[in-house]
Amino acid sequence: MEYNKIKTVGVLTSGGDAPGMNAAIRAVTRAAIGQGIRVKAIYRGYKGLIDGEVVEFSTQDVSGIIQRGGTILKSARCKEFQTPEGRQQAYETILKEQIDALIVIGGDGTFTGGRLFAQEYDVPVIGLPGTIDNDLWGTDATIGYDTSLSTITECIDKLRDTATSHERVFLVEVMGRNAGFLTLNAAIAGGCEAAIIPERASVKEQLEDAIGNGRRKSKNSSIVLVQEHAVEGGAKTVAEMIEKEHPEYSTRVTVLGHLQRGGSPTAYDRILASRMGAAAIQALQDGQRNVMIGIQNDDIVLVPLSKAIHQKKDIKEDSWQALQTLSI
Ligand code: ATP
């Protein structure tokens, strides 16, 4: 395939939905059409690619969606795409629809599948990081992270009002797959007493630090954020641990769940998605393939998909220290 001859691009959203995905779809569509490239929108992620759920988009098809959460293309988790037979079927759709390159918007699973597909069938793939978890290496931010962080912070503010009315430890379970970015930064933004995240020490140690060392003496309530996979059973397990070790404290558990994915994207996420979507089309025009569009120090960068997936992004040590310093 000659990459400067891309005439038609396919776009899909896959994995967990994230606010700002619509802004990314809009940007990809308009940037492509502006450069004379046709856009085939693929519904339900890799499932739609396998099933041939493809519709050609015009610029009007993406009108009025920049402010909407979720994804108009729907998303799905698709086991079939993990099999060679599934990917073969997906390739048949690519041939039938005359798609020359794919833009996949999602997280590490989406990129893993996209990269494999690109290798097997010589279809250029560009990844846009669309996940609330912010867990992809090579980009300071992912589309949806900023919105989710704001949503979680708003929830914490509301909980704080009721928490200060009683002597309780509130344990709030936060999403993030294997990463603690949302939990740590929401804890800082919400002025929380502690964050329990997979990247740091044992849960017991983190808890003792937060509650057992007397910090609470000066406070009559605490809000502790618990990353969903920091401990098996999440916030509920942590509540049980506290009630066992410190029976003087009564606990309350709040699982924010899918609330964290919803809502209108923040201005930051809309701008990020718009820049990244336009950059994806430019990257294809420049002959790039199998890269993720990232942002570093406010500059758009291209990161090989293999690095984005396989390298581990760590939380910022100064953020972790700031939480410890400020939660006394
Ligand atoms: P999030 O981080 O928001 O959960 P994600 O992109 O990591 O998003 P996954 O469910 O892990 O979400 O992956 C999305 C889809 O990518 C899967 O349903 C599957 O179709 C495809 N996929 C994931 N891993 C692989 C793999 N190893 N091989 C082929 N396809 C894969």
Side-chain angles (χ1 to χ4, degrees), residues 171-194:
L171 296 150
V172 184
E173 189 173 299
V174 175
M175 281 181 171
R177 299 262 275 201
N178 301 315
F181 297 98
L182 273 179
T183 308
L184 172 60
N185 287 314
I188 296 173
C192 297
E193 279 57 44

PDB file of all heavy atoms in Angstrom, residues 171-194:
ATOM      1  N   LEU A 171     -14.951   5.741  52.198  1.00  0.00           N
ATOM      2  CA  LEU A 171     -14.067   5.084  51.237  1.00  0.00           C
ATOM      3  C   LEU A 171     -14.717   5.156  49.873  1.00  0.00           C
ATOM      4  O   LEU A 171     -15.843   4.695  49.681  1.00  0.00           O
ATOM      5  CB  LEU A 171     -13.856   3.628  51.646  1.00  0.00           C
ATOM      6  CG  LEU A 171     -13.140   3.562  52.999  1.00  0.00           C
ATOM      7  CD1 LEU A 171     -13.523   2.339  53.766  1.00  0.00           C
ATOM      8  CD2 LEU A 171     -11.651   3.683  52.816  1.00  0.00           C
ATOM      9  N   VAL A 172     -14.035   5.793  48.958  1.00  0.00           N
ATOM     10  CA  VAL A 172     -14.613   6.014  47.634  1.00  0.00           C
ATOM     11  C   VAL A 172     -13.824   5.209  46.609  1.00  0.00           C
ATOM     12  O   VAL A 172     -12.610   5.391  46.463  1.00  0.00           O
ATOM     13  CB  VAL A 172     -14.577   7.515  47.263  1.00  0.00           C
ATOM     14  CG1 VAL A 172     -15.265   7.746  45.928  1.00  0.00           C
ATOM     15  CG2 VAL A 172     -15.227   8.348  48.351  1.00  0.00           C
ATOM     16  N   GLU A 173     -14.525   4.309  45.935  1.00  0.00           N
ATOM     17  CA  GLU A 173     -13.842   3.466  44.943  1.00  0.00           C
ATOM     18  C   GLU A 173     -13.820   4.160  43.581  1.00  0.00           C
ATOM     19  O   GLU A 173     -14.844   4.606  43.077  1.00  0.00           O
ATOM     20  CB  GLU A 173     -14.548   2.111  44.845  1.00  0.00           C
ATOM     21  CG  GLU A 173     -13.775   1.120  44.008  1.00  0.00           C
ATOM     22  CD  GLU A 173     -14.416  -0.257  44.079  1.00  0.00           C
ATOM     23  OE1 GLU A 173     -14.504  -0.831  45.179  1.00  0.00           O
ATOM     24  OE2 GLU A 173     -14.853  -0.739  43.018  1.00  0.00           O
ATOM     25  N   VAL A 174     -12.618   4.216  43.014  1.00  0.00           N
ATOM     26  CA  VAL A 174     -12.384   4.949  41.765  1.00  0.00           C
ATOM     27  C   VAL A 174     -11.880   3.981  40.695  1.00  0.00           C
ATOM     28  O   VAL A 174     -11.115   3.062  40.985  1.00  0.00           O
ATOM     29  CB  VAL A 174     -11.341   6.076  42.021  1.00  0.00           C
ATOM     30  CG1 VAL A 174     -10.975   6.798  40.741  1.00  0.00           C
ATOM     31  CG2 VAL A 174     -11.876   7.071  43.046  1.00  0.00           C
ATOM     32  N   MET A 175     -12.279   4.227  39.446  1.00  0.00           N
ATOM     33  CA  MET A 175     -11.841   3.361  38.332  1.00  0.00           C
ATOM     34  C   MET A 175     -10.370   3.594  37.988  1.00  0.00           C
ATOM     35  O   MET A 175      -9.731   4.494  38.541  1.00  0.00           O
ATOM     36  CB  MET A 175     -12.678   3.657  37.092  1.00  0.00           C
ATOM     37  CG  MET A 175     -14.049   3.021  37.101  1.00  0.00           C
ATOM     38  SD  MET A 175     -14.898   3.429  35.556  1.00  0.00           S
ATOM     39  CE  MET A 175     -16.331   2.375  35.694  1.00  0.00           C
ATOM     40  N   GLY A 176      -9.861   2.825  37.032  1.00  0.00           N
ATOM     41  CA  GLY A 176      -8.484   3.051  36.589  1.00  0.00           C
ATOM     42  C   GLY A 176      -7.759   1.833  36.061  1.00  0.00           C
ATOM     43  O   GLY A 176      -6.565   1.906  35.788  1.00  0.00           O
ATOM     44  N   ARG A 177      -8.451   0.706  35.943  1.00  0.00           N
ATOM     45  CA  ARG A 177      -7.806  -0.545  35.503  1.00  0.00           C
ATOM     46  C   ARG A 177      -6.588  -0.823  36.386  1.00  0.00           C
ATOM     47  O   ARG A 177      -6.751  -1.008  37.568  1.00  0.00           O
ATOM     48  CB  ARG A 177      -7.436  -0.466  34.021  1.00  0.00           C
ATOM     49  CG  ARG A 177      -8.624  -0.279  33.127  1.00  0.00           C
ATOM     50  CD  ARG A 177      -9.073  -1.572  32.553  1.00  0.00           C
ATOM     51  NE  ARG A 177      -8.323  -1.885  31.367  1.00  0.00           N
ATOM     52  CZ  ARG A 177      -8.737  -2.723  30.446  1.00  0.00           C
ATOM     53  NH1 ARG A 177      -9.923  -3.313  30.558  1.00  0.00           N
ATOM     54  NH2 ARG A 177      -8.006  -2.980  29.405  1.00  0.00           N
ATOM     55  N   ASN A 178      -5.369  -0.766  35.811  1.00  0.00           N
ATOM     56  CA  ASN A 178      -4.196  -1.047  36.651  1.00  0.00           C
ATOM     57  C   ASN A 178      -3.454   0.209  37.064  1.00  0.00           C
ATOM     58  O   ASN A 178      -2.345   0.123  37.586  1.00  0.00           O
ATOM     59  CB  ASN A 178      -3.231  -1.974  35.899  1.00  0.00           C
ATOM     60  CG  ASN A 178      -3.929  -3.267  35.530  1.00  0.00           C
ATOM     61  OD1 ASN A 178      -4.626  -3.858  36.355  1.00  0.00           O
ATOM     62  ND2 ASN A 178      -3.786  -3.685  34.282  1.00  0.00           N
ATOM     63  N   ALA A 179      -4.058   1.352  36.811  1.00  0.00           N
ATOM     64  CA  ALA A 179      -3.331   2.603  37.049  1.00  0.00           C
ATOM     65  C   ALA A 179      -4.009   3.476  38.099  1.00  0.00           C
ATOM     66  O   ALA A 179      -5.230   3.479  38.232  1.00  0.00           O
ATOM     67  CB  ALA A 179      -3.221   3.374  35.728  1.00  0.00           C
ATOM     68  N   GLY A 180      -3.185   4.242  38.823  1.00  0.00           N
ATOM     69  CA  GLY A 180      -3.710   5.054  39.916  1.00  0.00           C
ATOM     70  C   GLY A 180      -3.814   6.538  39.628  1.00  0.00           C
ATOM     71  O   GLY A 180      -4.037   7.334  40.550  1.00  0.00           O
ATOM     72  N   PHE A 181      -3.688   6.938  38.353  1.00  0.00           N
ATOM     73  CA  PHE A 181      -3.692   8.381  38.035  1.00  0.00           C
ATOM     74  C   PHE A 181      -4.972   9.071  38.481  1.00  0.00           C
ATOM     75  O   PHE A 181      -4.939  10.125  39.111  1.00  0.00           O
ATOM     76  CB  PHE A 181      -3.502   8.609  36.526  1.00  0.00           C
ATOM     77  CG  PHE A 181      -2.189   8.108  36.035  1.00  0.00           C
ATOM     78  CD1 PHE A 181      -2.093   6.868  35.431  1.00  0.00           C
ATOM     79  CD2 PHE A 181      -1.038   8.853  36.209  1.00  0.00           C
ATOM     80  CE1 PHE A 181      -0.879   6.386  34.995  1.00  0.00           C
ATOM     81  CE2 PHE A 181       0.176   8.378  35.786  1.00  0.00           C
ATOM     82  CZ  PHE A 181       0.257   7.134  35.179  1.00  0.00           C
ATOM     83  N   LEU A 182      -6.117   8.482  38.105  1.00  0.00           N
ATOM     84  CA  LEU A 182      -7.397   9.100  38.465  1.00  0.00           C
ATOM     85  C   LEU A 182      -7.520   9.201  39.980  1.00  0.00           C
ATOM     86  O   LEU A 182      -7.921  10.233  40.513  1.00  0.00           O
ATOM     87  CB  LEU A 182      -8.563   8.240  37.938  1.00  0.00           C
ATOM     88  CG  LEU A 182      -9.069   8.476  36.518  1.00  0.00           C
ATOM     89  CD1 LEU A 182     -10.194   7.502  36.208  1.00  0.00           C
ATOM     90  CD2 LEU A 182      -9.541   9.919  36.325  1.00  0.00           C
ATOM     91  N   THR A 183      -7.170   8.113  40.671  1.00  0.00           N
ATOM     92  CA  THR A 183      -7.339   8.062  42.127  1.00  0.00           C
ATOM     93  C   THR A 183      -6.435   9.080  42.814  1.00  0.00           C
ATOM     94  O   THR A 183      -6.897   9.864  43.654  1.00  0.00           O
ATOM     95  CB  THR A 183      -7.012   6.640  42.638  1.00  0.00           C
ATOM     96  OG1 THR A 183      -7.769   5.706  41.881  1.00  0.00           O
ATOM     97  CG2 THR A 183      -7.339   6.492  44.107  1.00  0.00           C
ATOM     98  N   LEU A 184      -5.166   9.073  42.454  1.00  0.00           N
ATOM     99  CA  LEU A 184      -4.215   9.986  43.112  1.00  0.00           C
ATOM    100  C   LEU A 184      -4.577  11.441  42.853  1.00  0.00           C
ATOM    101  O   LEU A 184      -4.641  12.255  43.783  1.00  0.00           O
ATOM    102  CB  LEU A 184      -2.789   9.688  42.619  1.00  0.00           C
ATOM    103  CG  LEU A 184      -1.714  10.673  43.078  1.00  0.00           C
ATOM    104  CD1 LEU A 184      -1.623  10.717  44.598  1.00  0.00           C
ATOM    105  CD2 LEU A 184      -0.361  10.303  42.480  1.00  0.00           C
ATOM    106  N   ASN A 185      -4.840  11.769  41.602  1.00  0.00           N
ATOM    107  CA  ASN A 185      -5.079  13.177  41.292  1.00  0.00           C
ATOM    108  C   ASN A 185      -6.444  13.654  41.780  1.00  0.00           C
ATOM    109  O   ASN A 185      -6.593  14.813  42.176  1.00  0.00           O
ATOM    110  CB  ASN A 185      -4.851  13.437  39.800  1.00  0.00           C
ATOM    111  CG  ASN A 185      -3.360  13.392  39.493  1.00  0.00           C
ATOM    112  OD1 ASN A 185      -2.561  13.981  40.214  1.00  0.00           O
ATOM    113  ND2 ASN A 185      -2.964  12.649  38.483  1.00  0.00           N
ATOM    114  N   ALA A 186      -7.425  12.760  41.786  1.00  0.00           N
ATOM    115  CA  ALA A 186      -8.720  13.141  42.360  1.00  0.00           C
ATOM    116  C   ALA A 186      -8.569  13.346  43.866  1.00  0.00           C
ATOM    117  O   ALA A 186      -9.211  14.218  44.452  1.00  0.00           O
ATOM    118  CB  ALA A 186      -9.774  12.081  42.065  1.00  0.00           C
ATOM    119  N   ALA A 187      -7.701  12.564  44.496  1.00  0.00           N
ATOM    120  CA  ALA A 187      -7.475  12.729  45.945  1.00  0.00           C
ATOM    121  C   ALA A 187      -6.846  14.085  46.230  1.00  0.00           C
ATOM    122  O   ALA A 187      -7.220  14.769  47.190  1.00  0.00           O
ATOM    123  CB  ALA A 187      -6.583  11.606  46.474  1.00  0.00           C
ATOM    124  N   ILE A 188      -5.923  14.489  45.367  1.00  0.00           N
ATOM    125  CA  ILE A 188      -5.307  15.819  45.561  1.00  0.00           C
ATOM    126  C   ILE A 188      -6.361  16.904  45.332  1.00  0.00           C
ATOM    127  O   ILE A 188      -6.532  17.801  46.154  1.00  0.00           O
ATOM    128  CB  ILE A 188      -4.111  16.021  44.590  1.00  0.00           C
ATOM    129  CG1 ILE A 188      -2.985  15.011  44.903  1.00  0.00           C
ATOM    130  CG2 ILE A 188      -3.590  17.453  44.668  1.00  0.00           C
ATOM    131  CD1 ILE A 188      -1.838  15.029  43.900  1.00  0.00           C
ATOM    132  N   ALA A 189      -7.095  16.774  44.215  1.00  0.00           N
ATOM    133  CA  ALA A 189      -8.081  17.809  43.855  1.00  0.00           C
ATOM    134  C   ALA A 189      -9.211  17.889  44.874  1.00  0.00           C
ATOM    135  O   ALA A 189      -9.750  18.966  45.125  1.00  0.00           O
ATOM    136  CB  ALA A 189      -8.643  17.533  42.462  1.00  0.00           C
ATOM    137  N   GLY A 190      -9.569  16.747  45.460  1.00  0.00           N
ATOM    138  CA  GLY A 190     -10.682  16.723  46.404  1.00  0.00           C
ATOM    139  C   GLY A 190     -10.238  16.953  47.840  1.00  0.00           C
ATOM    140  O   GLY A 190     -11.062  16.879  48.760  1.00  0.00           O
ATOM    141  N   GLY A 191      -8.950  17.188  48.041  1.00  0.00           N
ATOM    142  CA  GLY A 191      -8.443  17.417  49.400  1.00  0.00           C
ATOM    143  C   GLY A 191      -8.644  16.200  50.293  1.00  0.00           C
ATOM    144  O   GLY A 191      -8.976  16.327  51.481  1.00  0.00           O
ATOM    145  N   CYS A 192      -8.448  15.014  49.722  1.00  0.00           N
ATOM    146  CA  CYS A 192      -8.713  13.784  50.476  1.00  0.00           C
ATOM    147  C   CYS A 192      -7.573  13.455  51.444  1.00  0.00           C
ATOM    148  O   CYS A 192      -6.457  13.946  51.308  1.00  0.00           O
ATOM    149  CB  CYS A 192      -8.923  12.620  49.509  1.00  0.00           C
ATOM    150  SG  CYS A 192     -10.363  12.884  48.477  1.00  0.00           S
ATOM    151  N   GLU A 193      -7.892  12.567  52.392  1.00  0.00           N
ATOM    152  CA  GLU A 193      -6.915  12.196  53.406  1.00  0.00           C
ATOM    153  C   GLU A 193      -5.913  11.182  52.887  1.00  0.00           C
ATOM    154  O   GLU A 193      -4.778  11.120  53.362  1.00  0.00           O
ATOM    155  CB  GLU A 193      -7.627  11.639  54.647  1.00  0.00           C
ATOM    156  CG  GLU A 193      -8.170  12.723  55.577  1.00  0.00           C
ATOM    157  CD  GLU A 193      -9.132  13.693  54.917  1.00  0.00           C
ATOM    158  OE1 GLU A 193     -10.019  13.241  54.168  1.00  0.00           O
ATOM    159  OE2 GLU A 193      -8.989  14.913  55.129  1.00  0.00           O
ATOM    160  N   ALA A 194      -6.320  10.368  51.926  1.00  0.00           N
ATOM    161  CA  ALA A 194      -5.390   9.362  51.390  1.00  0.00           C
ATOM    162  C   ALA A 194      -5.906   8.794  50.077  1.00  0.00           C
ATOM    163  O   ALA A 194      -7.097   8.894  49.765  1.00  0.00           O
ATOM    164  CB  ALA A 194      -5.206   8.222  52.392  1.00  0.00           C
TER     165      ALA A 194
END
